[in-house]
Amino acid sequence: MKNVVCVVWSFLILVCIDAFGQDMFQKQQVDFPNLNSATNDSTSVYRFFGSPVSYKYKLSGNFGELRSSHFHAGLDIKPSGGRQADHILSVGEGYISRIAISPGGYGRAIYIDHPDVGYTSVYAHLEKFDAAIEQFVLDRQRDAESFSVDFYLEPHIFPVTKGQKIGIMGNEGHSYGKHLHFEVRDTKSEQPINPMLFGFATEDNVAPNIMSLALHGLDDHFHKNYNKKIPLPAKVNNIIQIPEPIIFPSDRLGVAMSMYDRTTGAANRNGIYSLEMYVDDSLAYHFQMDKFSFDETRNIIAFFDYKAKKEQNQTYTLCYKYPGNELGFLDETGSGIVHLNPDTTSRIKIKVHDWHKNTTTLLFDIKRADSIAMKDEVIKGRVIGLDDEVIISQDECLVQFEKNSLFRKIDFGFSRSKNNKNQTTYHIHNILEPIKSPIKISIKADTNLVDLKEKAVIIRQGGQNYGGQWEGEYLTTRIKEFGSFYLGYDTIPPSITSINFSKKAGRKSAYQFRLRDNLTVNGATTRDVKYKVWIDDVFVVSPLRKMNNTLTVPIHQLGKGKHTLKIEAWDHSGNKANYE
C-alpha cells in the first residue's frame, strides 16, 4: 500500500466488512486536529485495518470508560469461549515498534506501527508472544537480568503483515480475566483514539442506562453546599421523565449521573460514548469520547464525583466542569453550571448516547427554593487558588503548592497530632479533595534516629509507603492524595513465602512463591520490591504478578538431578531477603 497520511479534521467514517466477520456499518462525525490531513479518501484507513482476532467478538470494556484513576484507552475484547487458545493477529501491515513486560499494568504488550496510515496498534495482557518474538524477548530479559523490560525496535527486526499471528490472548498484568486490551494510537502524538472510529465496532442495539441522578448545590468555587439524590421513574421508550418540578435550595446547580452502557449479547457495564445537557434548549455541557491524551488522564478525578467515589465507591459523572479540569474533549463546552431563581422554572434535558447512537434521554424541571442552603463547615485555613505557588509550614513539615496543583480553590486545612506509636502525624487538608498535580511534602528528620536515616520513608496513615528522598534535613516526596502522613523507618525486608515448593520437584513445571513487602508502596505491595532468581547460579526469567504478589519460577527445562534455587528480593529502603 502506498503511503497514506490520516486523519482529516472532520469526515464521515465508513466501516467496512473485514475478513473476520465484523459486519457493522456505522457513520460518525469526528475531529482530529492534531493529525496530518489526508490526501486520499477518508475510508482508506478503515479498509487498511482488519480484526485482531479470528472470530466475531464481544466487548467487556470500551474506549473512554471511567476507571478509578484513568480513562480506559481501548477496547477489551472477550475470548471466543472455545477450548483452543485465541490467537492475536496484527490488524494491519507494519512492524513491531515496542515490546513491554511488567508485573502490573499491561502485563505482556506488543506495539505495532503502521507507517502507511500513521497509527500504532497496541495488544496487551498477552499470555505469550509468537515463538520468534518470545525467544527474542527472553534473550533481552536474560541480558538485563530482569523480568520487566520495555524496549523499542527498528522496523527491520519484526515486520508484520495484516492478519499475522503475534501472540495468544491472556490475563497478564492488571487484569481480572482473560481478554485482549486493544488500542489504536496516533503514532506521532501517542494519543489513544477510539478504535470504533476505525471500524472496530460490535453489534449494539441497547440504549445506555441512567441508574441515578444527583443534584449538587455549588458555591462560587464549585464546592458542594447541598447534595440530593433524586429517585428516577421507569424508562419509557428510552425516555426518563421526572413528573414533578424539583424545588432546589441553591442558586448554582451542578448535575451528576451514574450511568453505563451495554452491547448486544454482553452483560458487561461499559462507558457511555457521548452526552449533551440542555438548559431551556440551550447546550450547556457536552463531551464525546473520541480521543484523549495520557498527559491529561489525571483529570478524570475531576470528571466524576471524587467524594462519592472515595466514600461509597460510586461513579457519578459530573455534567459540569471544575475550573482546573483541562480535559481536551471539554475545551469547547460550557461549565455546565445551571443558574436558578425562585421565579423561573428551568427545563433540563440530558441525552446520553452510545457509539451506535442508541440514546436515553432524561427530562426534569427545576427552580430555586425561597431559602438557600448554607455551605458545609470546613476547617478554616489559608485559601489556595489554582495558580498559587506557596509553601506552608507546620512545625517540622512543609507542604508545597505549585501552579495547577488543584482543580478548584480550597480553604486549606493543616494540623498535627500524635498517633498510637507516639509519632508526629501531619493531617494535610481533606482526603475527599482531589489533587490535580502531585504536591510536594517534606518532613524533618527525627534527631533521635539519625542512624536510621537511610531507612526513613514517608508513610500515609494506613500503611501506604511513599518512600522519599533526602533534601538537607527534610525527607521529601510527592503525594497524589491528601491525608495524614508521618516519618517512619522501614527496617524489615520483604517476605518470600513458598506456595508449592518441595525439594522433590516431580512433574512440576514451575514453583510459585508469594513476594510481599511489609509496607505497601503507593498502594501496591510489590511496586518497589526488586527481585532476582537463579538456578545453579544462572539467572532465570521469573514472572511476577503484582495483583496477587505471585512469583513464578519455571523449572520445566531442568534436567534430572540436584539443583540449587536462590531468590533475592529487596525493598525501597535496601532491606534484603533471601530464599535458598
Side-chain angles (χ1 to χ4, degrees), residues 264-552:
T264 302
N268 303 81
R269 294 186 175 190
N270 300 330
I272 65 166
Y273 174 60
S274 65
L275 176 148
E276 302 120 32
M277 183 176 77
Y278 298 88
V279 180
D280 298 328
D281 295 324
S282 295
L283 183 65
Y285 188 78
H286 166 256
F287 67 82
Q288 183 165 301
M289 294 292 187
D290 286 328
K291 65 172 183 174
F292 62 85
S293 168
F294 287 118
D295 292 338
E296 63 187 23
T297 194
R298 175 75 185 168
N299 288 267
I300 190 173
I301 62 173
F303 187 69
F304 56 64
D305 185 341
Y306 188 72
K307 182 178 180 180
K309 189 70 173 178
K310 296 290 286 186
E311 287 189 324
Q312 297 126 18
N313 196 28
Q314 296 178 340
T315 303
Y316 277 82
T317 301
L318 301 181
C319 299
Y320 59 93
K321 180 181 176 182
Y322 284 176
N325 191 335
E326 295 181 328
L327 284 168
F329 57 76
L330 296 179
D331 280 351
E332 302 303 320
T333 65
S335 70
I337 297 298
V338 183
H339 296 278
L340 303 176
N341 66 69
D343 302 318
T344 305
T345 299
S346 295
R347 179 71 162 175
I348 309 296
K349 177 171 68 175
I350 303 173
K351 302 182 77 173
V352 181
H353 312 281
D354 63 21
W355 166 259
H356 294 268
K357 295 195 179 298
N358 300 304
T359 301
T360 296
T361 302
L362 173 65
L363 299 168
F364 63 93
D365 294 329
I366 190 167
K367 68 177 183 177
R368 200 194 82 189
D370 291 331
S371 60
I372 295 177
M374 300 299 292
K375 183 178 178 181
D376 293 340
E377 287 297 319
V378 297
I379 299 172
K380 296 299 180 182
R382 178 167 180 170
V383 174
I384 301 175
L386 276 63
D387 294 325
D388 289 348
E389 296 181 89
V390 61
I391 298 176
I392 298 176
S393 174
Q394 172 74 44
D395 301 317
E396 308 293 295
C397 180
L398 307 176
V399 181
Q400 180 176 338
F401 288 87
E402 299 167 350
K403 285 186 178 180
N404 295 316
S405 293
L406 302 169
F407 288 107
R408 56 189 178 180
K409 186 177 288 188
I410 65 171
D411 190 5
F412 182 66
F414 195 10
S415 63
R416 74 168 189 164
S417 66
K418 293 284 187 179
N419 64 17
N420 55 12
K421 294 182 180 180
N422 201 37
Q423 294 162 308
T424 302
T425 302
Y426 298 93
H427 309 286
I428 302 175
H429 199 55
N430 187 339
I431 61 172
L432 300 178
E433 178 67 31
I435 293 176
K436 182 177 178 180
S437 300
I439 292 170
K440 183 178 178 180
I441 67 170
S442 306
I443 300 178
K444 195 172 183 179
D446 189 328
T447 55
N448 296 323
L449 294 171
V450 290
D451 293 340
L452 292 175
K453 189 172 181 179
E454 298 307 314
K455 303 293 184 182
V457 290
I458 292 176
I459 300 174
R460 189 172 186 264
Q461 198 161 286
Q464 192 171 343
N465 178 356
Y466 275 78
Q469 297 79 40
W470 285 103
E471 294 182 3
E473 295 181 292
Y474 287 84
L475 189 65
T476 68
T477 190
R478 288 188 176 269
I479 61 172
K480 292 183 178 181
E481 293 181 301
F482 290 120
S484 300
F485 299 84
Y486 61 91
L487 193 65
Y489 297 87
D490 184 5
T491 60
I492 302 172
S495 63
I496 306 169
T497 308
S498 168
I499 295 175
N500 70 342
F501 179 78
S502 64
K503 290 186 176 182
K504 293 183 179 180
R507 296 184 178 181
K508 287 186 175 68
S509 61
Y511 286 130
Q512 288 192 320
F513 298 85
R514 198 77 69 198
L515 179 59
R516 284 195 176 100
D517 193 17
N518 66 306
L519 290 173
T520 64
V521 179
N522 290 330
T525 58
T526 58
R527 182 172 300 178
D528 267 16
V529 174
K530 310 295 184 184
Y531 71 95
K532 286 188 178 182
V533 179
W534 298 267
I535 295 179
D536 300 332
D537 296 323
V538 176
F539 175 80
V540 178
V541 177
S542 302
L544 175 67
R545 183 168 172 79
K546 190 163 65 175
M547 287 185 69
N548 57 13
N549 307 313
T550 300
L551 174 66
T552 300

Side-chain angles (χ1 to χ4, degrees), residues 81-100:
R83 294 184 177 181
Q84 301 298 317
D86 291 322
H87 289 279
I88 305 304
L89 315 173
S90 171
V91 296
E93 183 178 349
Y95 67 93
I96 296 176
S97 58
R98 180 185 176 192
I99 298 174

